[in-house]
Each structure stands twice: as structure tokens, then as C-alpha cells.
Amino acid sequence: MALRLIQVGLGGIGGHWFRTVLNSNTEVEVVAWVEIVEEALQRAIEKWPLPQERCFSSLEAALEAYEADAVLITASLAGHVPSARTALLAGKHVLMEKPFAPTIQEARELVTLAQEQQRILMISQNYRFFPRALAARQYVQEKTLGELGTVTVDFRHYANRAPVETNRHYHIWQPLLADMSIHHFDLMRYVLKQEPVSISCTSWNPAWSRFVEPPAAAATIRFDGGAVVTYRGSWVSPGQPTSWTGDWHMEFTDGELIWNDRSEIGGVTNNIFVRRLGEELAPVESPALVPTDFAGSLTAFVQAIRLGSEPGSSGRDNLKTLALMFAAIASAEQQGLPIEIASLL
């Protein structure tokens, strides 16, 4: 039997979920949709299209009208905590976009509420469901190249062409460190199988940027297993764009691993290479991972509910990713002052 789902948030990311995942997924049945912005609600009803009688301007109304097992929250950050709280108090499992709360305190409260209600709270860290990320994680886990030491991650995109007046992206809070880098911060924890200890971060707004808040940053992150990550990210780089996962260079005792993941393009097989000491660079076979990306998140959520198990990116686990994100922002706001991650947990 398909999992009955209510989707909250029908904007940009909500539309992506609907078109690429929910619309063709047999594991779930979307029984209702919620959007508090009337214009966005009507636009979704007309464009997607959606049945008018199943669309609501409040989650409470949707829950009262239709039986559901879970709630998917794809609203903007301001709607995350209120929607999740309403869903959990109604006894529903919750899958939500990241960052899942605007403060660590509110995130902790949701995690505690989910435990009290005995419901699953999962954060969609969809980059964990890319095959090259899994392959890199296996190299670390199996110590194929020995011990991991130094990692470099570069993310570059040029999202700086749209008119300032009409582009919402230019005006959001922390467009890189909160809206994008949280993907990379979580991927570091997943791939390295280590937890962050401290971070020193600098962010800036280049002269040609159309963003209100800094769209570029650089950071050094120390992990508890000894790895040190150098991270650079930019929404306004004129350089060669990277994949969404970023370009990774990982140095081990006996060689290096170089990878990114462009699985979303399709037909790409060699985005991961290994070079052992004294040998030439060689392609690596990456595991078949189906489904990937957002669909992988949804499948993991459904499986966790059916098995009664805690998913890998549960709210409890994701507190550590959230803490790294907030530490990066705090460090950048204090001119690169190192921040201990434990101080935020």
C-alpha cells in the first residue's frame, strides 16, 4: 500500500519535487497539497495541474480533510518548523527540506517532539544518494588507499544573470552557506565518516555580484578523525562550473581520489578517478544506485517508516550538519574566527 502524503510548499523546490519525484513515484500517494501564499497556490493548481478540492492554504485544514501517513515539507525556511510541529503533533511522519530549522534550538525541539510522538523526522540530504559519493565513502570505509588526510572541495556556479528586481535568490538569507553549502557540509560528514570539530570561514560579496548577502566563501574544517577539508564555494564565479556536489580531491596515505557527480545529466560514467602512488590516473567503477537524488531521499524515508528504523539523515543526525552550517556563518560574521562545533550543539 502506498504511503499517503501531504505536500507543504508549492514554490520552486516544491515544484521540482512534484515534477521529478512525486508525480511518478508508486511508493507514495499525494492526497493533498498546501501553500500559504495564495498566488503560488493558484499558479500550482493551474500549471501542474492539481485538483482544486485537494489544495489548501493551511496544513491543519488538509489534515482534517484527508487521511495521511506523512507530510513532506518543501516550503521556504520560515515554514519549516511550524509545519513540522503541526504534522508531528498530528501523529504524522515528516520528511523536510534543508536547512530544517532557522536555529539549533528549534531544530532540537523538533527532534525531541518526533521522539515523544514516536514518529520519524527525516531531512532530505539528497546528495547522499549520488553513486560517486557512495563510491568515495566506500574508499574511506574500506581504507582502500590507506588513511584519509587532506580534502579539497570546490563549488562554482554563475547564478548572477537575472534582473535584481525579479530574482528571489538574490535576496535570501545566506545564499551560499545556508542555502547551498549545507549540501556540501552534510556530504563531508557522509563521505568522510567523520564529524566536524571546528571551522574557520570567510565570506564575501564580489563587486559584480547581484546578491544582497555574501554568495562566496572559503573555509577550513577540522574533523575528529584527523581529516582537514579546504572548502571554496561561489554563486558568482566566472570559472568553469562544477557539478552540484562540487569537485572533490581526497588525499590518502597511498594515493588520491578525484571525483564529482553529474548523475543528473545521465549517461555519464567516469566522474571518479584514482591515482595510486607511482601509478597513472585511472577511472573507478561507481556503484549502481537506484533511485538517486531526491527520489533516493523519498525511498529511504518510506523504508524507514515501514521498518520502524531511524534513517541515515534523521533530524537527530542532521543536527550535526546544521551545527556546521551555523558555525560557518558565525565564523564568517567574525572575520574568520575559528568556531568549535560542539559549542553549538
Side-chain angles (χ1 to χ4, degrees), residues 12-324:
I13 194 67
H16 181 81
W17 267 94
F18 178 80
R19 292 188 305 273
T20 65
V21 183
L22 300 175
N23 212 18
S24 58
N25 195 296
T26 58
E27 295 181 298
V28 299
E29 176 193 359
V30 184
V31 297
W33 293 266
V34 176
E35 172 56 64
I36 64 170
V37 179
E38 183 61 30
E39 278 187 18
L41 179 61
Q42 291 307 316
R43 191 162 51 244
I45 290 171
E46 294 167 9
K47 186 177 179 181
W48 290 5
L50 300 176
Q52 180 89 42
E53 70 277 7
R54 290 182 176 268
C55 296
F56 300 86
S57 57
S58 78
L59 177 55
E60 291 86 350
L63 288 167
E64 186 176 338
Y66 291 96
E67 287 292 328
D69 305 300
V71 173
L72 168 65
I73 301 171
T74 55
S76 59
L77 178 57
H80 284 190
V81 172
S83 298
R85 186 182 293 120
T86 296
L88 290 169
L89 287 172
K92 312 305 178 187
H93 302 287
V94 173
L95 174 62
M96 61 197 304
E97 275 293 341
K98 82 298 287 175
F100 78 99
T103 67
I104 287 287
Q105 179 60 36
E106 288 172 292
R108 281 201 212 97
E109 289 171 0
L110 286 184
V111 170
T112 299
L113 180 57
Q115 291 172 338
E116 291 172 349
Q117 296 293 109
Q118 297 183 15
R119 290 298 178 265
I120 286 170
L121 171 65
M122 176 177 164
I123 315 307
S124 176
Q125 293 289 173
N126 54 297
Y127 285 19
R128 292 188 178 202
F129 299 95
F130 281 130
R132 267 61 108 187
L134 177 58
R137 175 181 164 92
Q138 289 174 342
Y139 264 77
V140 173
Q141 184 170 332
E142 297 167 8
K143 297 188 177 182
T144 309
L145 293 171
E147 297 295 334
L148 176 66
T150 303
V151 180
T152 301
V153 182
D154 284 312
F155 169 77
R156 294 182 302 275
H157 270 260
Y158 193 77
N160 200 48
R161 293 186 175 89
V164 174
E165 301 76 20
T166 58
N167 192 300
R168 187 190 70 85
H169 195 199
Y170 295 152
H171 303 276
I172 64 174
W173 172 67
Q174 293 291 342
L176 180 75
L177 292 176
D179 194 57
M180 185 66 213
S181 299
I182 191 166
H183 287 284
H184 305 132
F185 293 153
D186 187 74
L187 207 51
M188 291 171 197
R189 294 182 54 234
Y190 177 73
V191 172
L192 273 56
K193 293 182 66 65
Q194 299 181 27
E195 296 298 347
V197 174
S198 67
I199 182 170
S200 178
C201 181
T202 300
S203 64
W204 64 94
N205 207 334
W208 62 89
S209 165
R210 299 185 179 189
F211 286 79
V212 175
E213 296 199 23
T220 300
I221 310 166
R222 291 193 304 110
F223 283 77
D224 61 3
V228 176
V229 176
T230 300
Y231 174 72
R232 297 182 297 185
S234 177
W235 276 122
V236 295
S237 172
Q240 181 68 30
T242 67
S243 64
W244 291 110
T245 58
D247 289 348
W248 289 60
H249 184 179
M250 305 172 66
E251 296 181 353
F252 298 81
T253 312
D254 302 318
E256 60 182 346
L257 197 67
I258 301 169
W259 66 277
N260 59 50
D261 202 306
R262 296 180 182 270
S263 298
E264 70 275 10
I265 296 174
V268 177
T269 55
N270 287 331
N271 281 107
I272 180 165
F273 299 86
V274 64
R275 179 189 284 116
R276 297 179 183 276
L277 285 174
E279 298 181 6
E280 296 295 318
L281 196 67
V284 172
E285 185 92 17
S286 59
L289 190 58
V290 179
T292 61
D293 202 3
F294 289 91
S297 283
L298 183 60
T299 294
F301 179 61
V302 173
Q303 289 178 345
I305 292 172
R306 288 176 176 165
L307 296 174
S309 60
E310 182 176 348
S313 59
S314 66
R316 184 184 64 82
D317 174 83
N318 203 249
L319 284 173
K320 298 170 187 175
T321 295
L322 203 62
L324 177 54

